Amino acid sequence: MTTPSELKRIEQARDYVRDPHNTSQVWALMTVTSDSKLKLARKGKEYDELFQYLGENDMCFVYIKIITGDEVSRREKFVLITWAGPGISAVKKGKMLLPRSEIDNIFEQRAKVIEANDLLELDYEKVKEILVKSGGADYGSSTS
């Protein structure tokens, strides 16, 4: 089980991502340690910079703010990504189950959970499309 002080740091990172004053695609990345504990690894402000931290042998969770909508109706959507790189064995992937309940408790407010092991699955436009489809009505850009 993750230490209370580390859980507090992760909750603060969640609040950072959810802060409405952060107008970019902010994110927080939590790694899974060898003893199946969570550790806040880093925070970022741009979606694309995240990819350098999702390696072939990495196991982590990422909480991201994605901004959808158009110039008239801007919406913030939150995504939880479960990343297990392609070099992770099935046994190691199983170690992600223990901290998953902690992740689910901390990051309850999310529009979608995406499980990925290939960076192509996390292309920004693909993720945004998944969010739009899961979010109900989408009126697109105004043409009048």
Side-chain angles (χ1 to χ4, degrees):
M1 187 148 190
T2 305
T3 65
S5 62
E6 192 62 26
L7 289 174
K8 182 73 173 164
R9 289 184 66 226
I10 293 169
E11 288 169 352
Q12 290 170 342
R14 174 205 56 207
D15 296 343
Y16 164 79
V17 172
R18 294 194 63 79
D19 185 341
H21 295 102
N22 288 329
T23 57
S24 61
Q25 318 290 338
V26 294
W27 51 267
L29 183 141
M30 287 67 54
T31 57
V32 179
T33 64
S34 60
D35 56 350
S36 296
K37 294 180 181 176
L38 293 171
K39 179 175 175 28
L40 177 63
R42 63 188 75 250
K43 298 181 288 187
K45 292 188 178 204
E46 297 300 328
Y47 187 82
D48 289 340
E49 72 184 25
L50 167 66
F51 295 116
Q52 65 186 310
Y53 306 111
L54 302 177
E56 187 172 303
N57 297 307
D58 293 328
M59 296 186 305
C60 58
F61 297 95
V62 185
Y63 190 61
I64 305 174
K65 177 192 299 186
I66 302 287
I67 298 169
T68 63
D70 57 27
E71 61 280 349
V72 177
S73 176
R74 181 179 171 269
R75 296 177 233 32
E76 295 176 344
K77 302 284 186 173
F78 299 92
V79 178
L80 178 66
I81 294 173
T82 301
W83 173 263
I88 299 295
S89 70
V91 171
K92 284 187 178 180
K93 285 180 188 176
K95 289 186 175 201
M96 292 184 80
L97 294 175
L98 289 172
R100 180 59 189 252
S101 64
E102 293 173 323
I103 285 289
D104 287 341
N105 287 334
I106 295 170
F107 300 103
E108 291 178 303
Q109 296 176 316
R110 58 189 188 234
K112 199 72 177 165
V113 175
I114 298 173
E115 297 192 11
N117 64 4
D118 185 335
L119 293 177
L120 295 175
E121 299 172 70
L122 301 177
D123 174 75
Y124 179 76
E125 291 304 320
K126 284 183 182 181
V127 171
K128 195 171 175 180
E129 182 181 328
I130 289 168
L131 285 173
V132 168
K133 285 181 180 179
S134 71
D138 175 38
Y139 301 108
S141 295
S142 176
T143 57
S144 53

